[in-house]
Amino acid sequence: MIEYSYSLHALMRIKKREIKSEWIENTINSPDEIVYLEGTEVVCFLGIINDCNKKCLKVVVNIISKTIITIHFDRKWKRRIENENKNRQWRERSLY
């Protein structure tokens, strides 16, 4: 497992948003989606946190310095995933 350091900003967000370290680790180690920001050293790891009312956690990491830049719950991504799941269920039902 890779060791990451935390920016001061990330540490403040963790405290303010009451984000557990295990949520961060799980999101980085087993993300539901990874977004590479083209032309940068930044990668976003996204994961659904079942222990937190299925909120989506977004962990933004500089992969060169191995620094977690920021962390927040991402409502847009969660809505997109929920919509995709609804559409998939609708398509599956229409097949029968």
Side-chain angles (χ1 to χ4, degrees), residues 9 24 87 93:
H9 175 78
I24 299 165
N87 289 338
R93 276 195 303 252

Side-chain angles (χ1 to χ4, degrees), residues 35-46:
V35 177
Y36 297 90
L37 301 181
E38 195 171 328
T40 72
E41 304 167 343
V42 177
V43 176
C44 301
F45 297 92
L46 298 120

Side-chain angles (χ1 to χ4, degrees), residues 4-59:
Y4 292 94
S5 61
Y6 292 84
S7 69
L8 179 59
H9 175 78
L11 293 171
M12 291 171 26
R13 297 302 99 191
I14 291 167
K15 185 175 181 179
K16 180 178 181 179
R17 297 174 177 141
E18 299 177 348
I19 296 171
K20 295 181 181 180
S21 61
E22 66 190 57
W23 296 345
I24 299 165
E25 292 171 17
N26 290 342
T27 300
I28 291 173
N29 293 328
S30 298
D32 291 301
E33 186 169 337
I34 300 173
V35 177
Y36 297 90
L37 301 181
E38 195 171 328
T40 72
E41 304 167 343
V42 177
V43 176
C44 301
F45 297 92
L46 298 120
I48 299 295
I49 308 301
N50 292 323
D51 297 344
C52 191
N53 199 24
K54 296 198 179 212
K55 289 183 179 177
C56 172
L57 186 65
K58 183 176 189 177
V59 182

Side-chain angles (χ1 to χ4, degrees), residues 33 76-86:
E33 186 169 337
K76 284 186 199 176
W77 187 77
K78 183 180 178 191
R79 278 193 295 267
R80 184 178 64 101
I81 293 301
E82 287 171 345
N83 287 336
E84 285 177 7
N85 288 339
K86 284 179 189 174

